[in-house]
Amino acid sequence: MITGGVDLRDIPNVMVNDIGFGNIFWQVPWLTVLAVIVVVLGIVLLHRTRFGLHTYAIGSNPEAGRRSGLNVSGQLIAVYALSGLLAGFAGWLNLAFYQSTTIAGQSTTNLSVIAGVVIGGTSLFGGYGSIFGSIVGLFIPATLQDGFVIIGIQPFWQQVVVGAVLIAAVYVDQQRRAAALRGGTRSMTGNLLHHLTSSRRATPARE
């Protein structure tokens, strides 16, 4: 809206040379180092803090989380705010690498990201998922698209294949959830809520 849909190309040389194409630690790209830092911090935040525990707990059943004493609305605001912050950081890194805002160049990125995250084990219905699994899953659509470019397949077929992979991943996710319900196993959300309520009862003074 601010630029009228026109890509900006007047990028500071320091940003491009130092971040976009700069190296550190024996010729390791800065972009790789920053990405690894974000991934490690994300894993710690999601799996080793109360914030991550609460996020999992309200993932598939916000009402159960609310009845367990969680501030569901505040947690969702925090999650979306963190998501927006990381999206802005990713856009800044993209700007440093491509030296342009590439407004139209990211039109299909969301489909690839969703497909990769679902392939990595994250459920679209909430309650399941991990950052490491998402990282591994993202390599599949990226590899498919790069392979199509190498062998000369038309770009629109790339979107078709990624969409098909996404549909297959969602189907597998639904079958997995149905099998868990038929088997009577407790979901990840149920386990987390049980752990959360148990810890609240065990340490009332901290609350």
Side-chain angles (χ1 to χ4, degrees):
M1 294 176 61
I2 296 176
T3 65
V6 179
D7 285 322
L8 296 179
R9 302 183 183 277
D10 187 18
I11 310 302
N13 292 330
V14 175
M15 179 178 175
V16 175
N17 296 333
D18 292 347
I19 303 299
F21 296 93
N23 296 323
I24 190 175
F25 299 139
W26 303 285
Q27 302 304 309
V28 177
W30 258 112
L31 292 179
T32 302
V33 174
L34 293 175
V36 170
I37 292 174
V38 171
V39 169
V40 171
L41 292 178
I43 291 175
V44 173
L45 179 65
L46 191 60
H47 297 285
R48 292 291 183 268
T49 66
R50 179 171 294 187
F51 175 85
L53 176 65
H54 291 182
T55 300
Y56 273 123
I58 68 174
S60 61
N61 197 334
E63 182 60 29
R66 186 176 291 107
R67 294 185 179 184
S68 299
L70 301 182
N71 182 4
V72 175
S73 298
Q75 185 71 19
L76 289 176
I77 291 175
V79 170
Y80 284 121
L82 179 60
S83 176
L85 175 64
L86 293 177
F89 183 64
W92 182 75
L93 295 179
N94 182 85
L95 179 63
F97 183 77
Y98 289 104
Q99 307 176 49
S100 173
T101 51
T102 61
I103 296 175
Q106 306 297 329
S107 58
T108 61
T109 301
N110 56 342
L111 179 61
S112 299
V113 170
I114 294 173
V117 169
V118 175
I119 293 171
T122 299
S123 174
L124 292 177
F125 305 97
Y128 295 90
S130 67
I131 293 180
F132 181 77
S134 299
I135 297 299
V136 175
L138 286 171
F139 281 106
I140 296 179
T143 302
L144 287 174
Q145 291 178 337
D146 291 343
F148 287 159
V149 172
I150 293 174
I151 63 180
I153 295 180
Q154 296 295 326
F156 69 89
W157 281 110
Q158 301 177 20
Q159 301 180 35
V160 173
V161 173
V162 173
V165 171
L166 176 58
I167 293 173
V170 172
Y171 174 77
V172 171
D173 177 43
Q174 290 181 327
Q175 294 300 311
R176 181 180 61 183
R177 293 175 66 89
L181 291 175
R182 288 195 300 269
T185 58
R186 185 186 297 171
S187 65
M188 179 183 292
T189 303
N191 286 325
L192 289 171
L193 287 175
H194 175 73
H195 172 73
L196 179 64
T197 53
S198 298
S199 62
R200 283 176 179 270
R201 289 194 298 267
T203 58
R206 296 183 181 180
E207 302 297 324

